[in-house]
Amino acid sequence: MADEFIKGLGILVTAGLGWMTLAGWYRTPGFEDTQLIAPPELSDPTIYDQLGLLTMDVLFWFAILGALTFWVVVPGYREARRAYESRRQNET
């Protein structure tokens, strides 16, 4: 169980740090303005800007889904498999 927790935490922290870095570049118009969640103010984004915005969205969802996978889905699957195996052994 501890290895699933640390894998989920590692994904959350690493992808979250990448997202925060890109959000600081693209979604923070000023220090006293809305930070990290403002819409990007790019009138004519270059290919690198578009790649940065795409990477930011991918990192956000990877952080959320990666952590939930290791914290909820994998332990839930293992518990369901154990319950199924114990039920099969009790039937015979």
Side-chain angles (χ1 to χ4, degrees), residues 51-66:
L51 191 63
L53 292 171
L54 176 70
T55 304
M56 183 174 44
D57 290 339
V58 167
L59 285 173
F60 175 79
W61 287 109
F62 180 65
I64 300 298
L65 296 176

Side-chain angles (χ1 to χ4, degrees), residues 18-64:
W19 177 83
M20 282 182 20
T21 301
L22 290 172
W25 290 342
Y26 291 110
R27 295 185 182 256
T28 301
F31 182 73
E32 295 178 359
D33 293 331
T34 303
Q35 296 182 4
L36 301 178
I37 58 171
E41 297 178 1
L42 300 171
S43 59
D44 188 26
T46 65
I47 188 71
Y48 296 114
D49 292 332
Q50 292 174 0
L51 191 63
L53 292 171
L54 176 70
T55 304
M56 183 174 44
D57 290 339
V58 167
L59 285 173
F60 175 79
W61 287 109
F62 180 65
I64 300 298

Side-chain angles (χ1 to χ4, degrees), residues 51-85:
L51 191 63
L53 292 171
L54 176 70
T55 304
M56 183 174 44
D57 290 339
V58 167
L59 285 173
F60 175 79
W61 287 109
F62 180 65
I64 300 298
L65 296 176
L68 285 176
T69 298
F70 282 104
W71 292 344
V72 177
V73 175
V74 172
Y77 173 75
R78 287 185 178 171
E79 189 64 31
R81 191 176 63 194
R82 279 190 210 121
Y84 177 73
E85 289 296 324

Side-chain angles (χ1 to χ4, degrees), residues 5-6 8-9 14-16 19 23 29 38-39 41 50 52 64 75 79 86 89:
F5 176 76
I6 201 66
L9 184 66
T14 305
W19 177 83
E41 297 178 1
Q50 292 174 0
I64 300 298
E79 189 64 31
S86 71
Q89 287 178 356

